[in-house]
Amino acid sequence: MKSPDFIARAKEIENVVVDWRRHFHSHPELSFDEVETSKFIAKTLTELGCENVQIGTFGRPTGVIADIKGGKPGKCVALRADIDALPVTEETGLPFASQNAGVMHACGHDGHAAMLLGAAKMLCEVKDRLPGSVRLIFQPSEESAVVKQGARAVVEDGKALAGVDAIFGVHLWSPLEAGVLGYTTGAMMACSDSWTLKIHGKGGHGAAPHQTHDPTVAAGQIICALQTFVSREIEPIKNAVLSVGIMKAGGAFNVIPEEVELTGTARSFEPQISLDCEDFIRRVGENIGAAFRCTTDLEYSRNLPPTVNHAEMALLGAENGRKVFGADNVRELKPTMVGEDFSFYLEKVPGAFFFIGVGDEAKHTTWPHHHCRFTIDEAQLHKGSAFEALCAWEFLNKA
Ligand code: NI
């Protein structure tokens, strides 16, 4: 069936979507603390005519799922937005800046929630003609994915993906120029692993190193050796990152410490590389440590799997993106090493994740994500709503 004119309708409701975004922006809440945000979303979805509106089905009172049930039988497609903010003190000077001290929507999730409400509004308006249903997932705690794991909690809870045949998600993206839709047909964002290697030595006086087993020297050699993971262990055409972010050692200039602790991250697009990386860090730690009479132990956590788009879904999105953003404004991107917990959904159902560019020098919207002056080009919001509505409509009509 010919799709409704979501593009024109989205332009008509642009002010509503922008107002929603500004409301969320003024009232940011941290990961798994999105209580008022969830209430606002649930109330709005109910008013729009959604069914099965449920808050906090994930063991906490945050996050919302809801259904738009079409007038005809068919499949179920999910659209997901994340809704949490960051522990950042806002310095944008915007009239609708954060009213919650020390908390800021510095990643665009305010826009994600608003765009999905916009898509929901338009899909509700045509639901009689819709073959199948749309599951709306307003996911808590994306930002705190390492510790609190929003998407993992949603997926494990089971309700959000029950009966879902495909899923789409978007992220407003300041490194990409405003008005451009970016996608990949495979790996889009990396896995995010974290690790801590403890190097145990024997401390002592800084002037008597021969009486110690100095863990700082072992740590230095280990850090250098870790650099060879990418250059010597990975197939050259593949990608990985292994970085040390924290070194903890000692407390006095004249004392050789007992222990050094190294903490870092590892990123890649393949589960095997992540396994190999853990093995490599352990091997290098143990063996270089032993050479310096130190022992080591490693804790390694796989926090986020890689976000890998399903080609068919990515291409469906790109095709619809060309209608919304223009044929010249849809681009296949290189993957990024940043992680995103949309990956948990893609492990369960086919789907794709897209970047909507919001970077515009003239509008001061090119600040990096998580920066205290980060903001978005609001002119892209209604396009995001149209894009999401169209992806859902077209998937259901092709299914
Ligand atoms: Ni984000």
Side-chain angles (χ1 to χ4, degrees):
M1 185 192 278
K2 191 178 180 311
S3 69
D5 193 348
F6 290 123
I7 298 167
R9 182 65 184 137
K11 186 68 188 162
E12 286 169 9
I13 66 164
E14 180 175 11
N15 289 343
V16 180
V17 177
V18 168
D19 284 349
W20 280 328
R21 182 259 163 165
R22 292 184 179 189
H23 171 82
F24 293 128
H25 194 85
S26 300
H27 304 95
E29 295 175 296
L30 292 173
S31 304
F32 272 141
D33 205 21
E34 311 93 336
V35 176
E36 296 305 319
T37 304
S38 298
K39 281 185 198 161
F40 181 91
I41 290 167
K43 181 171 170 285
T44 307
L45 292 174
T46 305
E47 286 165 4
L48 291 175
C50 294
E51 294 171 61
N52 303 333
V53 180
Q54 299 174 69
I55 293 182
T57 59
F58 322 118
R60 298 177 200 240
T62 66
V64 182
I65 58 173
D67 288 328
I68 300 169
K69 290 201 172 150
K72 301 174 186 179
K75 292 201 167 182
C76 177
V77 61
L79 299 173
R80 172 271 204 175
D82 42 12
I83 62 172
D84 55 331
L86 287 154
V88 171
T89 298
E90 179 159 356
E91 289 181 24
T92 61
L94 289 167
F96 52 88
S98 171
Q99 295 174 18
N100 188 357
V103 183
M104 176 188 175
H105 268 295
C107 195
H109 300 188
D110 48 345
H112 302 171
M115 288 190 293
L116 188 51
L117 286 177
K121 178 174 169 61
M122 293 190 289
L123 288 164
C124 281
E125 288 169 355
V126 297
K127 67 180 176 181
D128 291 349
R129 296 162 56 195
L130 193 68
S133 60
V134 181
R135 172 80 36 83
L136 304 162
I137 303 172
F138 292 84
Q139 179 209 306
S141 188
E142 193 281 328
E143 296 294 2
S144 188
V146 172
V147 202
K148 295 180 179 168
Q149 311 238 326
R152 176 177 277 177
V154 171
V155 169
E156 283 177 359
D157 173 79
K159 288 191 203 81
L161 287 185
V164 168
D165 297 295
I167 187 163
F168 295 96
V170 298
H171 205 301
L172 297 167
W173 206 238
S174 72
L176 190 62
E177 62 194 88
V180 171
L181 180 82
Y183 73 102
T184 68
T185 53
M188 175 94 171
M189 302 175 87
C191 75
S192 176
D193 300 347
S194 57
W195 54 270
T196 293
L197 182 74
K198 285 186 181 158
I199 304 157
H200 314 283
K202 184 178 152 204
H205 201 295
H210 60 294
Q211 294 170 351
T212 73
H213 302 163
D214 189 345
T216 67
V217 177
Q221 303 285 337
I222 288 168
I223 290 170
C224 291
L226 293 181
Q227 308 315 309
T228 64
F229 178 66
V230 174
S231 69
R232 302 292 88 180
E233 300 274 322
I234 302 292
E235 197 181 329
I237 56 163
K238 294 186 176 174
N239 301 293
V241 171
L242 176 53
S243 294
V244 178
I246 304 172
M247 287 177 75
K248 283 189 202 158
F253 82 99
N254 55 356
V255 176
I256 290 169
E258 282 283 311
E259 187 178 285
V260 176
E261 201 176 292
L262 303 177
T263 297
T265 190
R267 310 284 171 113
S268 64
F269 300 103
E270 290 177 29
Q272 188 59 48
I273 294 180
S274 167
L275 293 169
D276 291 346
C277 187
E278 177 178 1
D279 181 59
F280 181 77
I281 298 172
R282 181 169 287 113
R283 200 168 76 231
V284 160
E286 271 172 19
N287 289 289
I288 294 182
F292 293 90
R293 293 181 290 183
C294 294
T295 59
T296 57
D297 53 73
L298 176 67
E299 269 175 48
Y300 196 96
S301 306
R302 291 187 178 80
N303 307 305
L304 295 177
T307 302
V308 182
N309 283 341
H310 296 242
E312 201 186 329
M313 297 298 135
L315 293 171
L316 185 145
E319 184 189 326
N320 289 301
R322 282 188 276 275
K323 298 174 201 163
V324 177
F325 296 90
D328 297 338
N329 292 324
V330 175
R331 282 187 210 151
E332 197 164 353
L333 301 178
K334 284 189 279 189
T336 160
M337 284 296 180
V338 177
E340 155 70 53
D341 71 4
F342 192 74
S343 51
F344 285 107
Y345 303 98
L346 293 178
E347 285 190 330
K348 298 284 182 194
V349 290
F353 195 64
F354 300 87
F355 287 149
I356 295 177
V358 291
D360 186 337
E361 288 283 357
K363 292 181 177 176
H364 309 290
T365 58
T366 54
W367 292 99
H369 288 257
H370 299 197
H371 192 278
C372 59
R373 296 180 73 180
F374 174 87
T375 190
I376 57 169
D377 174 15
E378 290 181 325
Q380 306 309 321
L381 293 175
H382 73 283
K383 295 186 210 169
S385 294
F387 174 68
E388 290 178 321
L390 207 49
C391 284
W393 179 274
E394 290 296 328
F395 174 81
L396 293 176
N397 276 277
K398 282 184 177 169

